[in-house]
Amino acid sequence: MSTQPLGSLLLAAGLLLVGCGSPSSDFVFTAAPSAAALPKSITAIMAKPRYADATWSLLVTDVRTGLTFYQLNPDRLSFTGSTRKLFSVGMALNTLGVDRRQTTTVHRQGAVTGAGVLDGNLILVAGGDLVFGVRRIDANTIEVTDFDHNDANGLGTAILTPQDPLFALNQLAAEVKASGINSVSGEVAVDDRLFQRYRVPNGNLRITPMMLNENQIDVTVTPTQVGQAASLVYRPLTGFFEVVGQVMTTAAGSENTVEFSGDRLTSGVGGTGTVDGNIPIDYAAPLSSIADFVGTFRVEDPNPFARTAFIEALERNGVTVAANPVADNPSTILPSGFSYSDSTLVAGYDSAPFSETAKLILKVSLNQGANLSLSLFGLENEQHTVDGSLEAERQTLVEEFGIDPTQFDFPTNGSGSPDSQAAPRAIVKLLIGMTSTPVAAEYEAGLPILGVDGSLANTGVDLPGKGHVFAKTGTTLAPDSEGVLQLKAQNLAGYIETRSGRKVAYALMVNDAGPVDDIETDVGGVFQDEAEISSILYELL
């Protein structure tokens, strides 16, 4: 489950003072005389029975003057949930820059004859492109929906982007053909050695330099007529994995029982997944209310998945390949070092600017993307492992942003749950530091906007602060020792452009907020409470 289980709530296009150079590490917080006295309208929310055993933390500081208006447990370490992404995405964006693109290339091994026969192999070299064409609107823009397919299984819904997941591979295949290659006598392989692959505890996600359709198989089930089979389609269509089965359309008001086989994981090269059950004729998905049931199979073998799809793209574009398309990735043919000559380059595909990737990650709380950002940041610091990247990030936060090293702890990942912790002061220090970087405007523009888009789209839609709060959500759900699901953390952190014209950075955190019987009701209720507190801050300051 995503660290932001309610998906769809907020987009950011906020105003920032954009500076240049490094952030100021000597920024001084100055407490106002009334900083410890929270308004009764806020304490009344925090005192609700729901929070009897919870711990609240809050820090609200003026971005320009450093004056702290309100504080409550500002130095207490709390579980961050996905507010952790403020750090990983922020560091990557600041280090790579807004215009950096990730390039996926194709190189040949061997010579090309006069007849266009490559007497050798083709290597698809992964460049760490999260989107890899699946959301491409144009060369500089990618599509973002409030209900993302990466959260489809956790949310019970998704709104798929309309772009072809195979777009980038088709473009690369066309370039291979245009380079003069008509056939490949040898193998096709994927080289994913840009950084060392790893898994993170957050959903047990595998983070790899090669991602096709963000390592998902999207399945859409649509009711037809009562008593008839529902429409069942999936994408991308490749020989790597086939989806079979039958879902029946049932009477209005009946139960939705659509099920996926194999824990919703792909079953290896040439595998099959089954989707069956019933879907009512009047089906309306939770949260989004769309008439389609959307779920995904997660791809556990990204390299053979991309390899199969690439060989099929080559064939579609008139390049015949002797190798079996449905087979394991032949990594033994890769060169000894991760180094390729321009003389062997036959095709290349550039991602959209990294600012677009950052916006996607922050808007929908994309765990894969936050960890990929951490790895891309690590590469800029000559680190090829997740541990090395985490250490480089920590060093940057302490030495360049001046954050107290005792006020944050990110032991395993760049996305948040289950173990990342930070104090409100560390988060606010980061947020204020980011306002003096060259990427300040793009950083804020990536944050969900209260009542408008991303993970805050459906929260606070009737509050005065709607459209004025630009904040990252952060949710962690975990079972207790008796197996009861608990709301371990629910946080908001970002910027508020207040009614009076101030700009404040804030971190609002609640840990141990009790059991969760229904995500939409229980977690959504805490979301709304934090939105109300944020809106009160908007009105008061």
Side-chain angles (χ1 to χ4, degrees), residues 195-357:
F195 60 80
Q196 188 179 101
R197 293 181 296 173
Y198 58 98
R199 287 189 184 275
V200 295
N202 190 342
N204 200 27
L205 292 172
R206 174 175 284 181
I207 310 303
T208 67
M210 172 52 67
M211 293 189 186
L212 174 61
N213 200 38
E214 293 150 18
N215 293 341
Q216 305 282 338
I217 307 290
D218 302 319
V219 180
T220 301
V221 179
T222 307
T224 54
Q225 299 294 325
V226 174
Q228 296 183 10
S231 167
L232 193 159
V233 297
Y234 67 97
R235 69 176 200 181
L237 296 173
T238 74
F240 174 81
F241 188 76
E242 181 183 12
V243 178
V244 299
Q246 186 177 81
V247 176
M248 297 303 298
T249 307
T250 54
S254 59
E255 184 181 3
N256 170 48
T257 61
V258 176
E259 292 187 356
F260 286 43
S261 64
D263 293 326
R264 300 195 181 214
L265 303 176
T266 58
S267 52
V269 181
T272 300
T274 301
V275 178
D276 55 24
N278 299 321
I279 187 169
I281 187 70
D282 61 346
Y283 177 77
L287 300 174
S288 68
S289 298
I290 63 174
D292 302 319
F293 178 94
V294 180
T296 67
F297 286 96
R298 192 175 75 211
V299 175
E300 284 289 278
D301 304 292
N303 290 341
F305 176 42
R307 175 186 178 274
T308 295
F310 184 44
I311 292 176
E312 293 171 348
L314 289 166
E315 297 279 358
R316 284 194 298 272
N317 284 273
V319 180
T320 60
V321 179
N324 179 8
V326 186
D328 287 329
N329 186 50
S331 57
T332 56
I333 72 170
L334 300 179
S336 58
F338 190 72
S339 177
Y340 293 87
S341 169
D342 289 344
S343 63
T344 63
L345 178 67
V346 295
Y349 176 84
D350 289 333
S351 72
F354 187 73
S355 57
E356 285 287 291
T357 303

